[in-house]
Amino acid sequence: MQNFTYQAAPMRVIFGRGTLGQLPAELERLGISRALILATPNQTKQAAQVVSILRHRAAGIFAEAAMHTPVDVTKHALLRVRELDANGVVAIGGGSTTGLGKAIAWRTGLPQVVVPTSYAGSEMTPILGETQDGLKTTQSSPKVLPETVIYDVDLTLTMPRSLSATSGLNAIAHAAEALYARDQNPIISLMAEEGIRSLARALPKICIDARAVGARTEALYGAWLCGACLGAVGMALHHKLCHTLGGSFNLPHAETHAAMLPHTLAYNASAAPQAMARIARAIGRDDAAGGLFGLAGAIGVRRSLRDIGMREQDIDRAAGLAVTNPYWNPRPVERDAIRGLIARAWAGTAPVDDVKSATLV
Ligand code: NAD
């Protein structure tokens, strides 16, 4: 075994069914007497549920969280924090709502309790991505880590099937890249493989029955593990490429990850064979990239970037952007090969390990 460094994130996690009921005790523990409840407009019902549980500890609701944490929205939320004299936040929702909670914590130092309702994993990371004037900036600080995360399986039962599938593959992407991260370590790799296994087993069942509690429990557990991987080690080609595609062509977050993952893994396959073997073992297939392409198809994910809004003429620009700012990846990032993978992802055709294909010719 090689030398390694492992750093645990100082977070308290409560996991199970009906765990939202523990929210008042958590706020008391953290000394939060007036919480601002954050949500998206779609989840005002769940925000209202939080208010009814918290009663006098709820100062008010701000239900305007939006994708990619726009700074303007954060400014409005900060006004509400001041107006209501809030001394903590409770974020209930997916990655967009968690992002808003982190943006508030970053500016105010207020404690946060996050109640994730999707599989995005942001609650486990010290990363804050924000957008202003069409530009996305990302920073990392322990200041944005939530004090407590409450995973309540019951809250995920309402997640639409399509979001469950794409959000689940988004989570698998965190763990897949953790397995070949430059700063990988055996503890995170254990979590990564288990996270992938749990989600790969659960997602097909959720696709048949969105309210299947056993599968939902397994998926949320897997998403937590995958989020922890994202928070602990550095990501590579897949995350950088999805970040570029989402930011430059305004593509939806989870769908982009879901469509790209088989292709980015195929690109890295020859450079990270051990990681690929672990991913393949976790999903119960012979081949990581092909297996995930099959899983995505089986759970009804749109596998082509064309179908989620990318134009064919943007493929070249995307390939150019992908090689503009160099970053570490197990295989060097080569423009022509990257163009090829984006073109395949755009068309929705099967992933190709171009290195292996070249040696076979
Ligand atoms: P999202 O939070 O935008 O959710 C998509 C929609 O689904 C929203 O309208 C939301 O209200 C709704 N929704 C979520 N859970 C639901 C449920 N259980 N029932 C019904 N509706 C539900 O999307 P997401 O994929 O969860 O998160 C994407 C965002 O998170 C992006 O902005 C991304 O950049 C960010 N993100 C950040 C990190 C990080 O570490 N900073 C990590 C992952 C994702």
Side-chain angles (χ1 to χ4, degrees):
M1 186 182 288
Q2 291 188 341
N3 294 359
F4 63 88
T5 303
Y6 170 73
Q7 183 165 341
M11 242 185 294
R12 183 172 151 91
V13 173
I14 297 173
F15 185 96
R17 291 196 69 187
T19 46
L20 189 63
Q22 295 183 41
L23 199 49
E26 274 312 297
L27 264 55
E28 184 166 4
R29 218 179 58 81
L30 294 167
I32 304 175
S33 53
R34 297 182 57 75
L36 179 63
I37 319 305
L38 308 173
T40 63
N42 274 342
Q43 288 181 282
T44 45
K45 244 188 173 170
Q46 288 178 328
Q49 189 188 350
V50 168
V51 171
S52 70
I53 290 172
L54 284 180
R55 300 180 12 192
H56 64 277
R57 285 188 190 274
I61 294 178
F62 181 84
E64 292 170 38
M67 188 78 93
H68 303 312
T69 328
V71 170
D72 285 349
V73 173
T74 302
K75 284 182 183 160
H76 284 133
L78 286 168
L79 286 177
R80 290 287 283 159
V81 166
R82 279 185 214 113
E83 265 167 33
L84 296 168
D85 197 21
N87 61 358
V89 295
V90 173
I92 181 161
S96 298
T97 309
T98 307
L100 177 59
K102 287 172 155 182
I104 294 172
W106 166 249
R107 289 168 175 83
T108 61
L110 289 180
Q112 316 164 65
V113 176
V114 176
V115 186
T117 64
S118 80
Y119 303 138
S122 175
E123 68 281 357
M124 283 292 130
T125 84
I127 307 159
L128 169 63
E130 299 185 286
T131 44
Q132 188 161 29
D133 305 324
L135 275 182
K136 185 162 181 174
T137 53
T138 304
Q139 57 185 311
S140 181
S141 163
K143 218 175 144 182
V144 305
L145 279 174
E147 275 67 14
T148 301
V149 176
I150 299 183
Y151 289 105
D152 186 338
V153 175
D154 293 344
L155 298 171
T156 64
L157 302 180
T158 54
M159 202 191 321
R161 267 173 234 212
S162 57
L163 177 64
S164 307
T166 54
S167 191
L169 284 170
N170 180 193
I172 287 178
H174 310 328
E177 290 227 291
L179 284 167
Y180 56 61
R182 183 162 47 169
D183 54 351
Q184 63 177 276
N185 67 67
I187 315 301
I188 290 299
S189 294
L190 282 175
M191 294 170 88
E193 195 174 332
E194 177 68 359
I196 296 172
R197 182 176 299 110
S198 302
L199 278 159
R201 226 174 7 213
L203 293 177
K205 294 178 195 154
I206 291 170
C207 179
I208 295 166
D209 176 6
R211 300 188 71 86
V213 173
R216 283 293 191 188
T217 305
E218 198 168 20
L220 191 59
Y221 173 67
W224 163 22
L225 297 178
C226 293
C229 296
L230 175 68
V233 296
M235 297 288 112
L237 177 72
H238 173 78
H239 281 74
K240 306 287 179 192
L241 213 42
C242 290
H243 183 92
T244 301
L245 291 168
S248 308
F249 306 106
N250 199 24
L251 301 184
H253 177 82
E255 286 94 325
T256 306
H257 275 268
M260 288 298 291
L261 185 61
H263 301 280
T264 47
L265 291 187
Y267 182 91
N268 280 335
S270 57
Q274 285 177 353
M276 297 304 150
R278 290 187 81 162
I279 297 166
R281 183 168 67 191
I283 62 175
R285 312 275 175 112
D286 294 336
D287 167 49
L292 284 170
F293 187 71
L295 176 66
I299 58 177
V301 162
R302 287 186 287 180
R303 295 184 292 190
S304 114
L305 295 176
R306 173 181 46 204
D307 290 349
I308 59 169
M310 185 173 171
R311 301 176 313 167
E312 189 170 14
Q313 60 263 44
D314 287 332
I315 295 174
D316 275 323
R317 203 175 130 227
L321 288 169
V323 294
T324 309
N325 296 315
Y327 48 83
W328 185 85
N329 187 59
R331 174 180 166 193
V333 179
E334 299 149 3
R335 192 191 178 287
D336 287 351
I338 294 290
R339 194 204 177 281
L341 91 79
I342 298 174
R344 283 187 287 280
W346 181 83
T349 55
V352 172
D353 175 349
D354 56 309
V355 175
K356 193 171 162 193
S357 312
T359 40
L360 289 177
V361 171

